[in-house]
Amino acid sequence: HVRGAVHIPVPAVKFPYPRLRAGQEAMMRACYSAMRGGRRLFVQAPTGIGKTISALYPAVKFLGHGHCDKIFYLTAKTSTQAEAYRTAGLLFSAGAHLRILVLTAKESCCLCRGTKTPDMPCSRGICAYAGVSGERVAAAVVRLLELQNGYGQKIIIKIAREYGVCPYELSLELAEVCEIIIADYNYAFDPLVRLKKFFEDPQNTGRHVFLIDEAHNLAGRTREMYSAALCSSDFTRLLGIYRGEPELAAALNEAAGRLRGMRRLCRQDMMRDEAGVEHGYYISRELPEGLELPFRALCGECERRLFKPAADPAAAELAMLYRKLLRFLAALEYYDERFLFFCRVEGGETIINIMCLDPSEILARHLGRAEAAVFFSATLTPLEYFSDISGGGDRAETLALASPFDISNLFVAAVDNISTRYEDREKSLPGIVACIAAVMSGQK
């Protein structure tokens, strides 16, 4: 009875500030229009306009009219999440009686921190909160709904302790009944973390709006999500530990051998330094044939070992390799002409990289699961570039707003006699301090 969207009477939601700042009305109108048209709006809005409320307010109106079920406010930093949560609280006070959830990383809310490493998969043998019955999680959700409408990390951890459930699993279940979800970019775009129940489950046909804050960070973050590296030492180090387990040892040996075989690709660009150590590289748009097979097989063996309840002193290191393998295999699934394969040799070490150069098609695919998206930042110049690289495509439109501050108050001075090179920083420090002191002493 608590599931589903809660559509609020639109006239009841008032703008929570006494007046509009310059540029706010233009941004809000553009946001609402883009949402109604199912488009991807890119807004360059200088500091001081009030971007958070100017994106959230029209999205809440859009939800209130029944055009979407959930608003995902996606950020690059925790500090931005705090501001979005505060602003959503103001809208609640102004009549938007919606449930608001801040979705935090699994590691930061884990009740077993100190007993397991971040890369360790959760299992009953390692975590007392893993595999808890759905009834207990549901009871914890109902308790949270009785307490309040806004859910940050502290209250979720508190109730999770009371009911003996995993805070992260509780958050995911709670997300189903919240209308505003504030989260990191990962939860919409990362292949290992993405909320599959909202963005991939064919049974879940919810209609979502993405509000992407500090959007100039998104392309770079997405490149990282879909890039991966494997080193030969990752496998050889574990081979010595797991020699007594034939299946896992064989899989590790096969993966290590595959990497060692990659050295031949670097033969054409190989050299020896003065100490006789080999260095070489190989770059290609094409993947070596059959690249993934030994790594996929090893991934399966890692799973079988990691989810055993028995204690394993090397489990943390195996879990780290398992995580690397998952990232590598996920990147391979998206590999196309926008990626690069890079292999290099450093002495006895062989490293292979899958490098995502252009994330636009990946982002466009994920944005296609939303009704509309609004990208906004104080530094989204040039707009056409960010629209292109962030997957805007033919559904993109742009808006550039002027600063709300009086331009006559701006004073820019260039200091050209102090080096800011990294190696000069220590000796430049007194000069920089003197400049700051001079500027401040000139003010009343």
Side-chain angles (χ1 to χ4, degrees):
H1 66 284
V2 294
R3 292 183 182 276
V6 179
H7 297 311
I8 53 175
V10 176
V13 185
K14 294 181 171 58
F15 190 71
Y17 294 102
R19 62 183 181 82
L20 289 168
R21 295 182 189 175
Q24 273 190 322
E25 185 174 0
M27 180 171 170
M28 288 190 288
R29 287 186 182 279
C31 287
Y32 193 85
S33 173
M35 291 171 197
R36 286 303 309 267
R39 296 187 295 277
R40 296 162 189 168
L41 175 65
F42 292 79
V43 183
Q44 155 91 6
T47 300
I49 280 177
K51 294 182 286 293
T52 304
I53 188 65
S54 299
L56 259 177
Y57 184 63
V60 165
K61 288 279 191 179
F62 189 66
L63 187 146
H65 279 296
H67 300 309
C68 74
D69 301 322
K70 289 189 188 296
I71 299 164
F72 285 88
Y73 193 104
L74 305 169
T75 74
K77 292 188 292 192
T78 306
S79 57
T80 321
Q81 292 177 9
E83 175 59 22
Y85 185 68
R86 186 192 69 82
T87 304
L90 291 175
L91 285 169
F92 183 91
S93 301
H97 293 166
L98 303 174
R99 304 184 190 106
I100 307 150
L101 168 67
V102 179
L103 196 57
T104 53
K106 192 174 190 176
E107 292 76 20
S108 68
C109 64
C110 180
L111 298 178
C112 291
R113 274 188 295 180
T115 61
K116 63 183 280 293
T117 61
D119 290 303
M120 285 290 289
C122 295
S123 64
R124 195 65 184 160
I126 299 168
C127 175
Y129 303 95
V132 172
S133 71
E135 288 81 3
R136 208 192 297 178
V137 176
V141 169
V142 171
R143 178 64 181 140
L144 282 165
L145 296 175
E146 290 170 349
L147 285 173
Q148 57 199 66
N149 277 61
Y151 312 103
Q153 187 181 49
K154 284 184 180 178
I155 187 64
I156 289 171
I157 289 176
K158 179 177 182 292
I159 298 302
R161 283 189 192 279
E162 283 182 21
Y163 283 79
V165 301
C166 168
Y168 184 69
E169 292 299 323
L170 177 57
S171 295
L172 295 183
E173 193 65 23
L174 184 62
E176 297 231 29
V177 295
C178 290
E179 290 79 36
I180 300 177
I181 298 173
I182 301 167
D184 188 272
Y185 296 156
N186 292 344
Y187 292 100
F189 303 115
D190 191 302
L192 301 188
V193 186
R194 189 166 58 243
L195 300 175
K196 292 178 173 59
K197 66 165 68 179
F198 295 117
F199 307 131
E200 292 182 17
D201 186 354
Q203 303 300 317
N204 191 334
T205 57
R207 300 164 303 156
H208 317 307
V209 165
F210 289 164
L211 304 180
I212 301 170
D213 201 348
E214 295 190 319
H216 61 278
N217 292 302
L218 182 61
R221 282 282 302 277
T222 307
R223 286 190 188 99
E224 292 172 10
M225 294 171 196
Y226 291 86
S227 297
L230 293 174
C231 308
S232 54
S233 59
D234 292 337
F235 308 105
T236 54
R237 192 165 50 247
L238 285 165
L239 258 173
I241 299 170
Y242 289 105
R243 280 195 196 285
E245 298 194 27
E247 291 87 357
L248 179 55
L252 282 164
N253 197 42
E254 184 72 22
R258 185 74 173 102
L259 267 179
R260 282 194 301 270
M262 293 284 176
R263 294 177 75 92
R264 60 180 174 75
L265 297 174
C266 306
R267 206 173 290 151
Q268 191 174 340
D269 291 287
M270 190 82 78
M271 58 165 286
R272 290 182 184 273
D273 61 20
E274 292 176 356
V277 178
E278 285 189 323
H279 302 273
Y281 70 92
Y282 170 81
I283 299 174
S284 176
R285 293 278 182 180
E286 302 296 323
L287 286 173
E289 194 172 338
L291 177 65
E292 71 178 277
L293 296 177
F295 306 123
R296 196 169 291 283
L298 176 56
C299 207
E301 289 299 327
C302 289
E303 284 175 5
R304 280 186 277 278
R305 187 68 189 83
L306 288 169
F307 286 99
K308 280 184 179 179
D312 180 354
E317 200 167 347
L318 187 64
M320 196 179 300
L321 174 60
Y322 175 60
R323 189 77 175 174
K324 279 188 175 185
L325 288 167
L326 288 178
R327 176 74 61 192
F328 191 84
L329 293 170
L332 281 179
E333 287 183 19
Y334 287 84
Y335 196 96
D336 60 15
E337 69 277 4
R338 296 170 184 83
F339 283 70
L340 199 66
F341 175 76
F342 178 46
C343 176
R344 75 182 194 275
V345 170
E346 298 291 340
E349 182 85 289
T350 307
I351 306 112
I352 57 173
N353 293 72
I354 300 294
M355 303 169 72
C356 175
L357 305 182
D358 176 3
S360 58
E361 285 300 311
I362 293 171
L363 284 169
R365 190 186 310 184
H366 296 321
L367 290 169
R369 298 190 177 101
E371 293 287 304
V374 178
F375 301 73
F376 49 102
S377 170
T379 50
L380 212 57
T381 303
L383 275 166
E384 291 74 16
Y385 164 76
F386 282 104
S387 168
D388 180 53
I389 202 71
S390 304
D394 56 8
R395 292 169 61 183
E397 54 186 41
T398 60
L399 173 68
L401 298 170
S403 172
F405 300 115
D406 185 352
I407 194 68
S408 65
N409 291 337
L410 177 65
F411 174 72
V412 179
V415 179
D416 60 3
N417 63 340
I418 296 177
S419 171
T420 55
R421 290 169 62 89
Y422 181 79
E423 57 267 32
D424 295 336
R425 283 184 187 175
E426 284 298 317
K427 62 183 180 184
S428 294
L429 198 57
I432 293 171
V433 170
C435 278
I436 294 170
V439 170
M440 295 312 296
S441 64
Q443 304 299 311
K444 292 182 181 178

